Amino acid sequence: MGLLSRISTIIRSFLNDLVNRAEDPEKILEQSVIDMQDELVQMRQAVAQAIAAMKRQEQQYLEADKQSTEWERRAMLALQKGQEDLAREALVRRKSQAETAGKLKESIDSQSGQIAVLKKNLVVLEGKIAEAKTKKEMLKARIQSAKAQENLNNMLGKVSTNSVSGVIERMEEKVLMAEAKASAAAELGMDEIENRFKQLEQSNVDEDLAALKAKMLSSSPTTPALEAGASNASVDAELEALRKELGH
């Protein structure tokens, strides 16, 4: 491949790429429908002009046929009057008008066929335009759906899975911490209640101890154990057993 051919290929590929990127499907479809509608308007104008021309020729044909008939009547009148030269001239005029009428009739028949074809093409074009409009709306809807999906995918692509997982883990840690604080607060509340009950129980023991001491002091002179002369050793042993029972 020569250098110029390679350069030409590169330029054409570059231009094709530019054209492809510049093409907007919605705008292309819209412009295609507009072009078809313009063509439809031109075709309607052509049909209208052809029909108008045929109408004029029909009038000319009727006039020529009428004149042909009239000159034939005049030729007969001239013969009746014995004027053959005048009758011959009238027949020449009749022939000219008849030939004109014949040519006009051929042209009218030809134009009538052409107009029929134009009308048929007009109906076909109208159907194509209606179909193109329907397809245009369908394709526009698909294009918009594709663009929306593309935007959604781009948005999803920007969302980092790792960052989302990190946020979830931090939130879970905060929830666990809050639950732990709530549990600790509940435990502290229970400990406080137990301490208050212990204080109440302790206060009752102190009161009982004070009452017992008072009772002993009031009854010490007549205590049977002391009067019996119990030994100190037995008292100490009893106290030691009491401490063990109480866990002291």
Side-chain angles (χ1 to χ4, degrees):
M1 182 181 293
L3 179 61
L4 293 177
S5 178
R6 292 172 60 189
I7 293 174
S8 175
T9 301
I10 293 172
I11 292 174
R12 283 188 286 108
S13 64
F14 178 73
L15 292 176
N16 288 333
D17 182 63
L18 288 178
V19 171
N20 290 331
R21 285 187 291 177
E23 281 185 341
D24 186 341
E26 291 188 33
K27 293 181 179 179
I28 295 298
L29 291 171
E30 189 69 32
Q31 187 60 46
S32 298
V33 172
I34 291 174
D35 292 341
M36 294 177 71
Q37 288 177 333
D38 291 340
E39 184 178 352
L40 179 63
V41 171
Q42 294 175 2
M43 187 173 292
R44 284 176 175 171
Q45 291 176 350
V47 171
Q49 291 173 357
I51 292 175
M54 187 179 70
K55 293 293 183 182
R56 287 196 297 270
Q57 287 190 354
E58 285 178 348
Q59 291 176 355
Q60 292 172 354
Y61 163 76
L62 293 174
E63 182 64 24
D65 185 67
K66 179 182 177 181
Q67 290 295 326
S68 175
T69 302
E70 178 63 18
W71 282 112
E72 184 178 7
R73 186 190 67 79
R74 289 178 178 179
M76 293 174 64
L77 178 63
L79 285 175
Q80 290 175 357
K81 299 296 184 180
Q83 298 183 16
E84 292 185 2
D85 292 341
L86 188 58
R88 185 179 290 105
E89 184 65 24
L91 289 175
V92 170
R93 299 287 181 90
R94 183 198 68 79
K95 182 180 180 181
S96 177
Q97 292 294 328
E99 291 176 352
T100 300
K103 291 179 180 179
L104 288 172
K105 185 65 170 62
E106 291 178 358
S107 177
I108 291 170
D109 292 340
S110 175
Q111 285 190 2
S112 179
Q114 293 177 359
I115 290 172
V117 173
L118 287 174
K119 287 182 177 180
K120 186 180 295 185
N121 292 335
L122 193 63
V123 173
V124 172
L125 182 57
E126 288 175 346
K128 287 183 177 180
I129 291 175
E131 182 180 359
K133 287 181 178 180
T134 302
K135 288 185 177 180
K136 181 192 72 172
E137 296 302 324
M138 292 174 60
L139 291 175
K140 283 178 66 176
R142 291 172 60 185
I143 290 170
Q144 292 173 358
S145 178
K147 288 182 178 180
Q149 184 65 40
E150 183 180 1
N151 293 333
L152 179 60
N153 292 335
N154 292 334
M155 292 176 63
L156 292 176
K158 294 178 182 178
V159 177
S160 174
T161 305
N162 295 330
S163 63
V164 173
S165 299
V167 170
I168 293 176
E169 290 178 358
R170 289 198 303 273
M171 293 302 103
E172 288 179 346
E173 185 66 25
K174 288 186 177 182
V175 171
L176 292 174
M177 182 62 68
E179 291 175 348
K181 288 181 179 180
S183 178
E187 291 181 3
L188 290 175
M190 292 299 297
D191 291 343
E192 182 180 356
I193 293 173
E194 290 181 0
N195 290 333
R196 291 176 65 184
F197 274 109
K198 286 182 179 180
Q199 290 176 1
L200 291 175
E201 292 173 355
Q202 184 67 33
S203 63
N204 291 334
V205 171
D206 292 341
E207 292 174 359
D208 292 341
L209 182 60
L212 183 59
K213 287 181 178 180
K215 183 179 179 180
M216 290 176 66
L217 289 175
S218 62
S219 61
S220 59
T222 59
T223 302
L226 294 177
E227 291 178 353
S231 65
N232 292 330
S234 63
V235 173
D236 292 338
E238 187 177 354
L239 290 174
E240 183 64 25
L242 181 60
R243 288 193 186 94
K244 290 181 179 180
E245 183 177 355
L246 296 176
H248 293 290

